[in-house]
Amino acid sequence: MARASARQAGVRVGDLLELDVTAPAANGVFVARLGELVVFARGTAPGERVVAEVTQVRRNFCRADAVEVLQPSPWRRTPPCAVAGACGGCDFQHLQPDYQRRLKAAVVCEQLERIAGIDWRGEVEAVQPDDLRWRSWMRYAATPDGRPGLRASRSNKVVPLPDDGCLIDACCPPVGQRTVGGRSFKVDADAFWQPHVAAPEVLTRAVVEGLSPRPGERALDLYCGVGLFSAALARAGCLVEGVENNLRAVECAAENVPTAVFQCADVADHLSGRRDGAELVVLDPPRAGAGRAVAADIARLARRALAYVSCDAATFARDAAALQANGCRLDDLRAFDLFPNTRHVELVAIFTGPGCA
Ligand SMILES: C[S@@+](CC[C@H](N)C(=O)[O-])C[C@H]1O[C@@H](n2cnc3c(N)ncnc32)[C@H](O)[C@@H]1O
């Protein structure tokens, strides 16, 4: 069916539309239709009937924000934060946490199927804290009059923090030392650290359980940051080599895991010239994913198994398809709710390398 253009439908920014909302889309919004015109509506839920104000008109779709709920979802709640909806940080705060996870599972399932042909029917696992006060670090913006705030959705406008502050901020010390399972990590202010307070332990456990590292095995930790997974692999007796392009992170990693070797390099450059493989590979790339060339190199180098940690289901699906096309087999895929109240989800996938199929 041809999609109607917004112009044909006569829709303009500021119009109020009465919508029946159907399914979750990616990016924390929900699909509704105005005749044949697709509307991506924010702050609503499947099954709801809402009045939404149009915020953006594109040729084949428009965006709108719910301003009145005529028929609420049974899973709607009063958002705990006074600026939820105005602030762009929490897409799902108006929905109960269990239901948020069901929505995220549906989106992951759809993306894996559509992009990689992967049939995944798993759940998004809850991690405590599973609602508020979970962020180990926050980046605030300043309002024109100097108050702390956060950006509005799809805008540079800064929404001032409410009196009780941002409710997902767990107020951890901003930089310095972090402790995971009794082990201390040095983290530079410019280096990456997992945002959820429980993520380091949850992800480390999932990676180690999935790979079952054996003493003496060689392990490559790609996009290694300050050495979170390197530390766990070294503790299991592996000979670990980490690759990371942020020099400050590499310096921290070398202090955090003195028995491992760390290279400050771009992963794609490092792998393209590399001949010697490793029994185990861990990769935890940024949201953009690793890309097809890196996936092909990993498939060439991983002898026994690899763990792919991802914060973006769409780029993970693209890379998973490339790994499978190069002979890797997906053995296990878990999803964790490490970004409660937002649309984001963390995946840990375990693949068998082509060398041991
Ligand atoms: C999602 S973080 C993961 C860090 C680490 N595994 C952890 O859990 O703390 C991704 C890391 O990849 C690094 N990075 C991004 N692009 C890179 C590239 N092209 N080559 C090497 N490292 C890269 C970033 O600096 C960041 O430390």
Side-chain angles (χ1 to χ4, degrees):
M1 185 168 63
R3 271 191 183 183
S5 76
R7 186 183 291 174
Q8 279 169 337
V11 173
R12 300 211 191 112
V13 170
D15 284 357
L16 293 179
L17 308 176
E18 205 168 305
L19 301 172
D20 288 312
V21 180
T22 55
N27 298 331
V29 294
F30 299 87
V31 179
R33 282 174 199 275
L34 194 70
E36 287 173 15
L37 178 69
V38 173
V39 182
F40 293 117
R42 231 178 117 244
T44 179
E48 287 195 331
R49 186 165 184 76
V50 299
V51 177
E53 181 176 348
V54 176
T55 55
Q56 189 183 43
V57 176
R58 288 278 189 250
R59 207 162 63 84
N60 288 329
F61 66 89
C62 68
R63 297 182 191 282
D65 284 357
V67 291
E68 188 186 348
V69 182
L70 304 174
Q71 192 178 302
S73 161
W75 293 282
R76 181 174 275 277
R77 67 172 177 175
T78 303
C81 175
V83 298
C87 167
C90 289
D91 321 282
F92 291 164
Q93 213 188 89
H94 59 292
L95 300 170
Q96 291 167 18
D98 281 350
Y99 185 61
Q100 294 180 25
R101 286 186 275 281
R102 282 170 48 196
L103 290 176
K104 294 186 202 194
V107 172
V108 170
C109 169
E110 188 278 326
Q111 288 180 318
L112 293 175
E113 166 63 36
R114 179 169 46 81
I115 300 169
I118 294 171
D119 179 16
W120 180 78
R121 307 285 167 94
E123 290 179 0
V124 174
E125 302 175 36
V127 174
Q128 297 304 323
D130 75 340
D131 188 5
L132 306 176
R133 304 291 179 210
W134 55 266
R135 268 206 85 108
S136 64
W137 56 269
M138 294 281 296
R139 223 173 257 131
Y140 290 105
T143 61
D145 59 355
R147 285 180 295 156
L150 290 162
R151 304 247 175 236
S153 171
R154 309 175 66 80
S155 160
N156 280 332
K157 193 180 144 217
V158 178
V159 178
L161 290 184
D163 291 344
D164 46 357
C166 171
L167 296 186
I168 63 169
D169 188 348
C171 304
C172 290
V175 285
Q177 297 290 128
R178 308 278 190 188
T179 307
V180 182
R183 182 181 186 129
S184 182
F185 284 81
K186 182 177 174 186
V187 186
D188 187 90
D190 292 331
F192 176 89
W193 187 250
Q194 295 288 346
H196 192 292
V197 290
E201 293 204 36
V202 167
L203 296 177
T204 300
R205 202 177 315 127
V207 165
V208 169
E209 281 174 9
L211 294 180
S212 303
R214 302 165 195 154
E217 282 188 318
R218 292 187 64 177
L220 256 181
D221 183 8
L222 304 175
Y223 311 91
C224 67
V226 300
L228 178 67
F229 301 123
S230 300
L233 294 165
R235 197 177 322 148
C238 294
L239 309 169
V240 182
E241 197 179 331
V243 183
E244 159 67 46
N245 69 358
N246 177 331
L247 179 59
R248 307 298 291 272
V250 170
E251 288 167 353
C252 290
E255 280 188 48
N256 292 332
V257 198
T259 56
V261 175
F262 294 95
Q263 312 260 359
C264 185
D266 175 82
V267 165
D269 292 346
H270 175 84
L271 294 186
S272 65
R274 189 178 172 116
R275 293 284 157 263
D276 50 334
E279 279 74 30
L280 303 176
V281 175
V282 177
L283 72 154
D284 181 11
R287 203 168 288 287
R292 290 189 178 86
V294 168
D297 278 328
I298 289 172
R300 177 172 62 78
L301 296 168
R303 297 220 184 91
R304 184 163 74 76
L306 64 107
Y308 189 144
V309 181
S310 166
C311 61
D312 189 292
T315 57
F316 165 77
R318 177 203 62 200
D319 293 344
L323 286 167
Q324 294 185 128
N326 284 280
C328 295
R329 191 188 65 209
L330 178 61
D331 288 332
D332 190 32
L333 176 58
R334 294 176 71 183
F336 297 97
D337 194 14
L338 289 174
F339 304 90
N341 288 314
T342 79
R343 61 183 180 269
H344 300 292
V345 64
E346 190 84 8
L347 306 177
V348 179
I350 305 297
F351 293 82
T352 302
C356 76

